[in-house]
Amino acid sequence: MTYSARFQIRTRGDTDVIDITDRVGRVLTESGIRQGILVVFVVGSTAGVTTTEAEPGLLNHDLKAFWERVAPQKEYYHHEQTWHDDNGHAHVRASALGPSLAIPVVDGRLTLGTWQQIVLLDFDTRPRQREIVVQIVGEAAG
Amino acid sequence: MTYSARFQIRTRGDTDVIDITDRVGRVLTESGIRQGILVVFVVGSTAGVTTTEAEPGLLNHDLKAFWERVAPQKEYYHHEQTWHDDNGHAHVRASALGPSLAIPVVDGRLTLGTWQQIVLLDFDTRPRQREIVVQIVGEAAG
Amino acid sequence: MTYSARFQIRTRGDTDVIDITDRVGRVLTESGIRQGILVVFVVGSTAGVTTTEAEPGLLNHDLKAFWERVAPQKEYYHHEQTWHDDNGHAHVRASALGPSLAIPVVDGRLTLGTWQQIVLLDFDTRPRQREIVVQIVGEAAG
């Protein structure tokens, strides 16, 4: 059994980190799937998905500071010559993080830890409306 | 068909890198699934999962040195102000690496290379008992 | 329903970034699966898989510059002492990026964005013939 849903998230860009756990959880509930694998996937090449503890220090400061350290915005990116834009760092960060996350579904619940939430990171240089695809494969019984 | 199992791994923390390939392989054998997708997922927000060659240089030195270079322990993390703890770097490293890994199952085996093992990285600042969820979706026949 | 295929990609190594979207898409078409989850997995511990915009700036310059900044080739790696080789940085980069990617399949198509392609990154220090496994779990109907 396969279940698919999409939802949209408005971001501020600039390595905005947004907790999407509730939205993903709602899709799982709607699906009726009790045992399986759930994939969270962000459409586009300047955003990524991972997990973290959703507390203000990490969400508003520390993850952004990490990505700025490893792929600084002010560095020269050849990408920006191609399009005459300013988001080379956003592409690089998104590729390094990855656009998707696979999570087990056991007894109708994601196997996340208590302080482990699903987050979208939008690295682009402007506010964006992001599309998240949630795909679940598994069984309703059990 | 879906199969689910959990096991625990005792770590020393401090970017301890532990080969869990045999434990994951045992779950696959128990499952009887021959064709499908297997997900390895670590519960918690200060650890991650990936693959590497399980030889002492990488396991005991090189991966840790990489994570120390990109997310130094002594850097200031706002997370530590929130909880008055010392593991901000561990959260950042875990989010960058990601908590899960999806591997094909073909003819009852993982499609890993000969020198490619599944490893748990525990970034926390103290020894932990980690919970690993192995989730397999697929078919017993074929 | 599970479908599995393998294909090979000749690379130049040295953080060669290769767009494999068409090859993966062909496997999906052959599978006949319309709804499900597709996993792209690279065999070996010196390569990785992610998505990016397949334009020359990112493919030929920016991603390589990022990996050189965070895991420099000339750094000392204990791995090289173990094998007396020169690809410690390649192992470290591959572990940080990860060998696999899970993508939703909806109505027979991958849910990639218009400027979001699937890429193989070969970090090894010499040309390689890489093996990619594409594994799809889902349904033909729908």
Side-chain angles (χ1 to χ4, degrees):
Chain A
M1 173 176 178
T2 300
Y3 188 85
S4 186
R6 284 173 184 250
F7 60 83
Q8 296 191 326
I9 292 282
R10 204 168 278 282
T11 80
R12 293 166 302 176
D14 196 24
T15 308
D16 198 3
V17 184
I18 300 174
D19 182 356
I20 60 171
T21 313
D22 286 352
R23 299 290 296 269
V24 174
R26 240 176 288 158
V27 172
L28 177 55
T29 302
E30 286 163 21
S31 76
I33 291 176
R34 301 275 302 163
Q35 317 292 341
I37 293 169
L38 179 148
V39 170
V40 183
F41 182 90
V42 58
V43 180
S45 54
T46 51
V49 172
T50 188
T51 61
T52 196
E53 180 182 341
E55 60 78 24
L58 288 164
L59 296 190
N60 302 332
H61 299 281
D62 298 335
L63 295 181
K64 182 171 174 172
F66 167 79
W67 288 106
E68 178 59 27
R69 189 183 316 115
V70 297
Q73 179 158 10
K74 292 301 173 206
E75 197 74 23
Y76 174 74
Y77 296 93
H78 289 252
H79 174 71
E80 300 177 1
Q81 202 169 33
T82 302
W83 294 122
H84 302 292
D85 60 8
D86 63 351
N87 67 355
H89 66 286
H91 282 282
V92 166
R93 295 177 190 185
S95 286
L97 181 57
S100 81
L101 183 66
I103 310 175
V105 174
V106 177
D107 299 336
R109 304 177 68 139
L110 297 168
T111 63
L112 295 166
T114 311
W115 296 281
Q116 183 181 24
Q117 281 75 43
I118 306 165
V119 284
L120 167 69
L121 279 76
D122 193 332
F123 298 114
D124 213 341
T125 47
R126 58 187 173 87
R128 294 285 302 260
Q129 177 128 316
R130 289 294 180 182
E131 190 143 13
I132 307 288
V133 182
V134 179
Q135 193 78 357
I136 320 172
V137 170
E139 310 166 68
Chain B
M1 174 175 178
T2 301
Y3 189 85
S4 187
R6 285 173 183 249
F7 60 84
Q8 296 191 327
I9 292 282
R10 203 167 277 284
T11 81
R12 293 167 301 175
D14 197 23
T15 308
D16 198 4
V17 184
I18 300 174
D19 182 355
I20 59 172
T21 313
D22 286 352
R23 298 290 295 270
V24 174
R26 239 176 289 157
V27 172
L28 177 56
T29 303
E30 285 162 22
S31 78
I33 291 177
R34 302 275 301 164
Q35 317 292 341
I37 293 169
L38 179 148
V39 170
V40 183
F41 182 90
V42 56
V43 179
S45 54
T46 51
V49 172
T50 188
T51 61
T52 196
E53 180 182 341
E55 60 79 21
L58 288 164
L59 295 190
N60 302 331
H61 299 280
D62 298 335
L63 295 181
K64 183 171 174 172
F66 167 80
W67 289 107
E68 178 59 26
R69 190 184 314 116
V70 297
Q73 179 159 9
K74 292 301 175 207
E75 197 74 22
Y76 175 74
Y77 296 92
H78 289 252
H79 174 72
E80 300 177 0
Q81 202 169 34
T82 302
W83 294 121
H84 302 292
D85 61 8
D86 62 352
N87 67 356
H89 66 286
H91 281 283
V92 166
R93 295 177 189 185
S95 285
L97 181 56
S100 81
L101 183 65
I103 310 175
V105 174
V106 177
D107 298 335
R109 303 177 68 139
L110 298 168
T111 62
L112 295 166
T114 310
W115 296 281
Q116 183 181 25
Q117 282 75 42
I118 306 166
V119 284
L120 167 68
L121 279 77
D122 193 332
F123 298 115
D124 213 343
T125 47
R126 58 187 173 86
R128 295 285 302 261
Q129 177 128 317
R130 290 294 181 181
E131 190 144 14
I132 307 288
V133 183
V134 179
Q135 193 79 357
I136 319 172
V137 170
E139 309 168 69
Chain C
M1 172 176 180
T2 300
Y3 188 85
S4 186
R6 285 173 183 250
F7 60 84
Q8 296 191 325
I9 293 282
R10 205 168 276 282
T11 80
R12 294 167 302 176
D14 197 24
T15 308
D16 198 3
V17 184
I18 300 174
D19 182 355
I20 59 171
T21 314
D22 286 352
R23 299 290 295 269
V24 174
R26 239 176 289 158
V27 173
L28 176 56
T29 303
E30 286 162 22
S31 77
I33 291 176
R34 302 274 302 163
Q35 317 292 342
I37 294 169
L38 179 148
V39 170
V40 182
F41 182 90
V42 57
V43 180
S45 54
T46 51
V49 171
T50 188
T51 60
T52 196
E53 180 182 341
E55 61 78 23
L58 287 164
L59 295 189
N60 302 332
H61 299 279
D62 298 334
L63 295 181
K64 183 171 175 172
F66 167 79
W67 289 106
E68 179 59 26
R69 189 184 315 116
V70 296
Q73 179 158 10
K74 291 302 174 206
E75 197 75 22
Y76 175 74
Y77 296 92
H78 289 251
H79 174 72
E80 300 177 0
Q81 202 169 34
T82 302
W83 294 122
H84 303 292
D85 60 8
D86 63 352
N87 68 355
H89 66 285
H91 281 282
V92 166
R93 294 177 189 185
S95 286
L97 181 56
S100 80
L101 183 65
I103 310 175
V105 175
V106 177
D107 299 335
R109 303 177 67 140
L110 298 168
T111 62
L112 295 165
T114 310
W115 296 281
Q116 183 181 26
Q117 281 75 43
I118 305 166
V119 284
L120 167 69
L121 279 78
D122 193 332
F123 298 115
D124 213 342
T125 47
R126 57 187 173 87
R128 295 284 302 262
Q129 177 127 317
R130 290 295 181 181
E131 189 143 14
I132 307 287
V133 183
V134 179
Q135 193 78 356
I136 320 172
V137 170
E139 310 167 67

